[in-house]
Amino acid sequence: MVEVLERESEPATSGVASHISINNLSHWFETPTGALQVLDDVNLDIAPGEFVALLGPSGCGKSTLLRLAAGLEPATAGTLTQDGRPITEPDPSRIVVFQDPTLFPWRTVRDNVALGLEAQGILKQEGARVDAALKKVGLQDFAQVYPHQLSGGMAQRAALARALVNNPKLLILDEPLGKLDSLTRLEMQSELVALWRKNGFSALLVTHDIEEALFLAQRVVIFSPRPARIVAEFKVDRPYPRHRGDNVIADLRHEILNCMGLGTSW
Amino acid sequence: MSVMSSAAILGQLPIGATRQKSPSPAVAAPQVSRGSVAPGTAKAIAASAGDFRFYWFGLFAVAAWLALGFIALGIPDKPAGFNDVWPYTQEFGMGALVLSALWAVLSVQAGFRRATGVFGRIGAMFRYVAPWIVTIGIFLAVWETLTAKTGVLEPPFFAPPSSLIDIYVSDYARLAESAFNSVKLLLEGVIWGAVIGLAVGVAIGWSRAINYWVHPLLRFLGPLPPTALLPIAFFFFPSSHAASVFLIALATGFPVAILSWSGVASVNKAYYDVARTMGASEWFLIFRVAIPAALPQVFVGLFMGFGASFVVLVVAEMMGVKSGLGWYLTWAQGYAAYVNMYAGLIVMTIIFSSLISLLFSVRDRVLVWQKGTVKW
């Protein structure tokens, strides 16, 4: 991984990005009909500043993996560590961006973005970070607007600003572009790459879109149907910003489709 | 044709006047101001004068109130019971005539359809309320005729509208004191009830342990009408005032608690996840996530509680509290002073509807972030 980072001359990541290590992770859900296994012996290492995408059939347990990495739920078996320390509870250094923007409708865009700083009690000292984050996503003119007045893309940008204001060392992206129209989606993929390259955080993305995974990530991890196991990993050894017509990426896409049993549609 | 005439009755269109199609104000105004100075001002005057179309519907208002004035002044009162003549009939009739003249002036003012500023706003307002002014004038005229003038509706149970003036003048002090005491008692109980109801509702929505103990109590005791507790409350509490505050608080608190609880219970769980990953404490999750998210429901509870509190207030004042508008009504009944009762009822209506309107405007301010809320 270190090789990859050097070759692509990413910005220095020490201090702004976390090393995430997932070891022998298995997880079960309690259901009325008994325990349901969703994760099966997952091992995954994310180097500081690395962008990893997780692909898999829907309902396989990828999102559960993200919740465990965020510390929102404890894992049944196995360990997750952040820079060597076990992940036991949520922390502002690991921020999740969900498929729905989940902006608080009673707060203006600005107050939504300020949420993390307010919760941590540092809004007074660090208020300038709010405006900086709004500017990063191009919403500086919409600060006083309420969420219901925003378009889907703008709302998701606001959610991104709300995440970035915390200077996360790991950004967890749970299908963040899944509900956007396809044009907005392409636009925001480029914006995500730019934000990641500029800020240097580690990123863990769940998506259903193979092209999106290949456009954004340095490594694509393929999961089996539930209970999710890692079945393959693909390195996307291409420089940024990437091009959708890139032959190497097209070949990888074919390979991944084959791997997921969808090769016949090529 | 029927569409046309109903629109005219609503005051939206001048009766039978569609001869000149004038451009809409939004388009016309800039055209006027864009002209060069001297011809521009001349054009502006010409334009606004050309826009003048007398507000004919206003004449219905003038006629209704003229009729009211003439009925009050011109037809002698029918002697009934103790009094030969109802008091304040002259003043009532004169007042109707003065208002009739005012409607005439406003009909002219409302003719300037494109006037702006306060002048224009008053005109537009008059066009909007004119149908109501007509209706009220006719209603008062019929009321005056059926009571004072013909005696079809007999005293003491019925009294003419003019006689209400007498009550408001002669019994002003007692009514004002009653109204003040009612509002004071009501607000005391409602504020206690709202605060405690919100706290209880949020607590049972938040904590499983509190829910286990409090929820069954709410389910068991909640449906009991607070008025049923009235006799016991008067016995247990040191004063009838304290007992009434308790019962009003109970009436307000129950719906507030239930709705706050359901509001907190139905908060999108993802909001908590978002706040937790950003380092939110439990305090933050309750006061900055759960309660703001539940506020729309809390307000529904407040409206229900407010309505229930009016009932308890009036019953409590009728049964035990020695002041307030409820007491005034029973006092008036005791003396067979039915006119006083009407006067008291009108004051009560005005106070209660004002309080509800006040709550609506508070709601609109607090929930400005919601789209499409009902306007009162």
Side-chain angles (χ1 to χ4, degrees), chain B residues 296-317:
Chain B
Q297 298 244 52
V298 172
F299 270 97
V300 175
L302 275 175
F303 281 109
M304 293 166 62
F306 231 25
S309 76
F310 296 161
V311 175
V312 177
L313 172 77
V314 173
V315 175
E317 285 176 344

Side-chain angles (χ1 to χ4, degrees), chain A residues 67 72 90-92 94-96 98 102-107 115-116 118-120 146 148 162 166, chain B residues 267-268 270-281 284 288-290 292-293 368-371:
Chain A
R67 289 183 67 81
L72 287 167
D91 188 273
R94 303 182 305 270
I95 299 285
V96 191
F98 296 96
T102 57
L103 297 172
F104 292 2
W106 59 90
R107 287 175 168 241
L115 185 74
E118 195 184 322
Q120 294 152 45
Y146 282 100
H148 73 79
R162 181 180 63 181
N166 298 288
Chain B
V267 174
N268 184 349
Y271 291 162
Y272 296 130
D273 287 345
V274 166
R276 282 174 65 208
T277 59
M278 294 184 181
S281 61
F284 192 91
R288 291 282 176 270
V289 184
V368 64
W369 50 272
Q370 275 195 318
K371 46 178 175 180

Side-chain angles (χ1 to χ4, degrees), chain B residues 169-194:
Chain B
V169 171
S170 63
D171 210 19
Y172 166 81
R174 203 191 326 248
L175 263 172
E177 199 199 341
S178 298
F180 177 78
N181 287 339
S182 280
V183 171
K184 195 166 145 255
L185 176 58
L186 181 76
L187 289 186
E188 216 173 311
V190 163
I191 288 168
W192 275 110

